[in-house]
Amino acid sequence: MSVLDALVRLCPPPADPPPGVDWERAERSLGTALPTDYKQLVDTYGDGVFDDTIWLLVPGSAYDDCDLHAQATERAEILTRLWEFEAKPAELLEAGARVVPWAFEEGTGAFLYWLARPGQQPDEWTVLYNEGRGPLWEHHDTGCSAFLLAVLNGTADTAYFDSLHEAPESTRHCFATADQTLGASQG
């Protein structure tokens, strides 16, 4: 069973498929190819939130907070300013290493990024979690879909996302689209 299949079993996607993404255009606009597992995740779920906690960023979202391009631009500017007075995480000290956001945590300022190292293909990118309102970064040697699955099923080795596991075991995981959560888009 693939990671995506396991995620779909654990947390069913919306009944109506999300709008299609023009991946060639999205990658050209972003200036980089994107991991296959992320594209499959977006094609299955679209923009929205897992368990009222983890918001998936999607190219072309009608909501700036959920738009991959808008957030990549904003996060790059914020991190550039931040690293003028705060040390970069060790994973980013390698020349040419960079981060690309793919999700954020509701209400915390925390972001999930891909760690893109020189010479790596996007399917080799791993996950960096930044707590957002502090200097702590966590590296996870896995792709975004596997990390998301591990967080939801409680097997991720992380100091974060405890609130997802405070509910009784019988609680079903859920995904809500951005339109369901934020109101129908104006687009």
Side-chain angles (χ1 to χ4, degrees), residues 104-165:
F104 67 91
E105 186 179 2
E106 172 70 27
T108 66
F111 269 79
L112 289 159
Y113 296 92
W114 288 292
L115 171 59
R117 290 187 161 129
Q120 282 187 327
Q121 295 301 312
D123 288 346
E124 299 172 294
W125 294 353
T126 55
V127 172
L128 272 176
Y129 175 94
N130 174 242
E131 67 179 341
R133 294 188 177 117
L136 299 181
W137 291 75
E138 269 187 357
H139 180 245
H140 299 274
D141 196 20
T142 187
C144 65
S145 293
F147 179 76
L148 181 59
L149 177 62
V151 166
L152 293 178
N153 71 20
T155 61
D157 183 16
T158 179
Y160 304 96
F161 303 110
D162 288 339
S163 64
L164 290 175
H165 306 289

Side-chain angles (χ1 to χ4, degrees), residues 20-32 34 59-60 69:
V21 172
D22 179 342
W23 288 110
E24 186 177 311
R25 181 177 177 207
E27 290 172 327
R28 190 173 48 250
S29 175
L30 197 57
T32 186
L34 294 167
H69 300 104

Side-chain angles (χ1 to χ4, degrees), residues 48-66:
V49 61
F50 291 88
D51 285 355
D52 297 322
T53 303
I54 300 173
W55 284 89
L56 184 61
L57 302 177
V58 172
S61 173
Y63 305 95
D64 283 348
D65 286 351
C66 298

